[in-house]
Amino acid sequence: RWPADLHLIGKEILRFHAIYWPAFLMAAGLPLPKQIFAHGWLLFEQDKMSKSKGNIVRATPIQQVAGVDCLRYFLLREVVFGQDGNFSYDALVGRYNSDLANGLGNLASRTLTMIRQYKGGVVPASEGSREIAGQAASTISAVIQSFEAFEFSKGLEALWALLAATDKYIVAQAPWAKAAGRDETLYTTGEVLRIACILLYPIIPGSVAKIWEQLGMTEPLESVQLEGLAWGQLKSGQKIGAV
């Protein structure tokens, strides 16, 4: 929930909201905002958007083609909060392919497919990889701290570093080629997915809700609290969702 004493505004009206408006509130004896965040401009290919130039980017066509989650992720990952950010269709497609499709999407597809194929659709019993578990613990802390500080791009960068490390771990373990260590590998990747879903829910809620359901989680994703989020909370023996 957005705090009542926190204001989010565009940088061009900072003077009014940081000087004049507080003065009005003081004169009226009303409470003052405790924090004011000013966001930058969103440029189109390094140029300020303008109706006269005809370079306005409209969200609806993007939503119809790529989805709301894709646009939300791009803006929060690509643009450093508080600074001007640049939008281009090439950059949007690039982020979608590299991060969402080939990153998160590929990890989810591989993990769920192998659990169905090799474990009969049941999460195996294991504590997971100690190395990945350690990185996951530090990632949880880093993401939460970054999001609370409005450093969304920094938090997402940390999370995608964990996803990349997990992808390399899968390749190194090669669970499709050898049974030894397969349980540990599949539990590790499943647990990384669970943690990623929780951390990404404010960013791409629709996409992670589908992964959450496929993992067989019974608790509604929107009800999960960040407090207490830790490694090892994916239940062994849990049946994952049907295709």
Side-chain angles (χ1 to χ4, degrees), residues 199-217:
L199 294 176
L200 285 171
Y201 184 67
I203 311 297
I204 49 173
S207 299
V208 294
K210 295 177 182 177
I211 298 175
W212 185 261
E213 181 180 357
Q214 286 292 292
L215 277 173
M217 308 302 295

Side-chain angles (χ1 to χ4, degrees), residues 67-84:
V68 174
D69 280 0
C70 176
L71 182 58
R72 285 165 62 101
Y73 176 78
F74 173 82
L75 294 176
L76 292 169
R77 176 64 178 86
E78 195 80 9
V79 180
V80 177
F81 184 80
Q83 300 181 16
D84 291 349

Side-chain angles (χ1 to χ4, degrees), residues 107-130:
L107 178 62
S109 177
R110 290 171 105 182
T111 298
L112 295 166
T113 298
M114 288 191 289
I115 291 177
R116 293 188 183 100
Q117 181 175 351
Y118 299 119
K119 306 306 299 181
V122 176
V123 176
S126 175
E127 294 182 356
S129 163
R130 288 187 177 182

Side-chain angles (χ1 to χ4, degrees), residues 8 22 25 32 34 44 52 72-73 75 78 88 91 97 105 125 137-139 159 169 174-175 180 192 221:
L8 175 64
L25 293 175
L32 303 178
K34 293 183 178 180
F44 177 65
S52 60
R72 285 165 62 101
Y73 176 78
L75 294 176
E78 195 80 9
S88 75
N97 288 332
S138 60
T139 299
L159 181 52
Y169 168 76
V192 168
L221 181 52

